[in-house]
Amino acid sequence: MNTFWKLVWSYRLSYLFIAPFVICFTLFIFIPVLLAALLSFTYFNALEPYRFVGWQNYLYLMSQDLIFLKNALPNTIKFALAVGPGGYIASFILAWLIAQLPNYSRTLYALVFYSPSLAAGAAMTVIWLPLLSGDRIGHLNNFLLNLGVIEKPVLWVTDPKLLMGSMITLTLWSSMGVGFLAQLAGVLGVNRELYEAGRIDGIKSRLQEIWYITIPSMKPQMLFSAVMAIVGAFKAGEIGQSLSGQFPTPQYSGHVLMSHIQDYGDVRFEMGYASAISVFLLVMMFMANKFSHKLFGSRGDE
């Protein structure tokens, strides 16, 4: 035991360097997550003292909460499958295409595609709401009416059948964020000599170069981008209500897990049940991230 403490003391200077991160992680991530997990086993309405209810919140969530089972969970899975892999693949394709451009053009195009992720909220108000307005003066309806494609205005954001598609389109448009920049850096960081060696070994097309050289060489960046895509897809919740102007969205067509958490936490003040939904969402994100590590994580022989 004395040897252990001597070893710990010998690295005391290193602990000072990591202390700011450890303190911030503990205060703002570890403790809130732990408290949310503990709160999920209680009934708490923010006014009365909490009451321990065991697994009752989780049992109700998985067996009796019809809005969760019929709307929130299926909508979240549908939205995440469309936005996560869709945005991830789109960011890789754009990153690879931009990497083929000269330096000046590359910087310009990277800025153009990255900008929507910075101004998504303002852009939603300025661009998307007038574009998808359900009357004749909505830009998209006006354009399609003039072309004769439609005979009457389409309710793009208030029709339950169309709202999810509008949410997915807007999210994909604004999904070229930090993950996109990481993939661009990864493509640009691939050793050029590997491509020359690949041509000597028999690689004959750019597609083969991407599959056998580019992707294996940038696995850390692809893993980071995958994690960011997963987090972004699962945490999206306000898009549907911002587009439709209603909460909950029409016939719960845009109701996802984040909306369900907001409903029970901010509207009904059932903090214990909202915490249970949050823990369920955290588990879903954890499983998706583990799958990403299986695909892009480094193995012992790499």
Side-chain angles (χ1 to χ4, degrees):
M1 182 61 69
N2 290 333
T3 304
F4 172 76
W5 288 113
K6 287 181 180 179
L7 181 63
V8 171
W9 181 252
S10 65
Y11 290 102
R12 60 189 179 278
L13 189 59
S14 302
Y15 302 142
L16 291 178
F17 285 100
I18 67 173
F21 169 79
V22 172
I23 293 172
C24 291
F25 177 84
T26 303
L27 290 178
F28 300 109
I29 297 180
F30 179 75
I31 292 178
V33 170
L34 179 62
L35 292 178
L38 295 175
L39 196 62
S40 68
F41 293 99
T42 68
Y43 172 80
F44 181 56
N45 60 9
L47 298 175
E48 302 172 332
Y50 65 85
R51 184 174 75 251
F52 181 75
V53 295
W55 293 95
Q56 181 176 331
N57 287 331
Y58 292 98
L59 292 175
Y60 180 82
L61 179 68
M62 302 304 298
S63 62
Q64 300 181 52
D65 190 342
L66 297 182
I67 296 177
F68 169 80
L69 295 172
K70 295 176 61 176
N71 302 106
L73 183 59
N75 286 343
T76 300
I77 294 174
K78 184 191 303 182
F79 183 80
L81 289 177
V83 170
Y88 183 77
I89 293 171
S91 64
F92 175 78
I93 293 174
L94 287 174
W96 185 85
L97 291 173
I98 291 174
Q100 314 307 310
L101 300 174
N103 288 336
Y104 176 77
S105 301
R106 182 189 306 155
T107 303
L108 179 62
Y109 278 97
L111 180 61
V112 168
F113 284 107
Y114 180 64
S115 296
S117 67
L118 298 176
M124 183 185 298
T125 304
V126 176
I127 299 175
W128 286 95
L129 290 181
L131 179 68
L132 299 176
S133 178
D135 51 26
R136 288 182 175 271
I137 62 174
H139 300 323
L140 183 56
N141 277 336
N142 184 266
F143 177 73
L144 295 178
L145 285 168
N146 289 335
L147 289 180
V149 177
I150 58 177
E151 297 180 354
K152 59 181 181 179
V154 178
L155 303 176
W156 300 104
V157 294
T158 54
D159 187 338
K161 297 179 181 178
L162 300 176
L163 177 58
M164 179 59 69
S166 300
M167 292 170 56
I168 291 171
T169 302
L170 188 151
T171 308
L172 287 175
W173 173 76
S174 61
S175 63
M176 302 298 124
V178 178
F180 161 70
L181 294 182
Q183 296 212 45
L184 179 58
V187 174
L188 294 173
V190 177
N191 191 344
R192 299 288 111 183
E193 296 178 356
L194 293 176
Y195 294 116
E196 298 176 5
R199 295 188 191 100
I200 296 174
D201 289 340
I203 290 181
K204 299 178 181 179
S205 67
R206 302 302 292 273
L207 187 60
Q208 288 180 324
E209 283 184 353
I210 294 173
W211 185 257
Y212 292 109
I213 298 176
T214 305
I215 293 178
S217 299
M218 54 178 289
K219 278 191 172 183
Q221 291 85 359
M222 297 197 74
L223 175 60
F224 174 79
S225 181
V227 171
M228 295 301 294
I230 290 169
V231 172
F234 278 110
K235 76 175 185 179
E238 297 183 357
I239 297 175
Q241 59 206 60
S242 298
L243 284 175
S244 64
Q246 302 178 32
F247 183 75
T249 53
Q251 297 183 24
Y252 294 98
S253 56
H255 197 76
V256 294
L257 282 178
M258 286 298 297
S259 307
H260 211 48
I261 294 170
Q262 184 180 356
D263 183 18
Y264 276 93
D266 297 342
V267 179
R268 309 188 193 196
F269 290 101
E270 295 185 21
M271 301 301 181
Y273 189 67
S275 297
I277 305 171
S278 301
V279 172
F280 181 85
L281 178 60
L282 180 64
V283 171
M284 287 184 64
M285 294 174 64
F286 175 77
M287 293 172 62
N289 284 328
K290 291 293 289 184
F291 179 72
S292 297
H293 277 274
K294 289 285 187 181
L295 291 178
F296 302 113
S298 299
R299 293 165 178 80
D301 56 346
E302 295 181 344

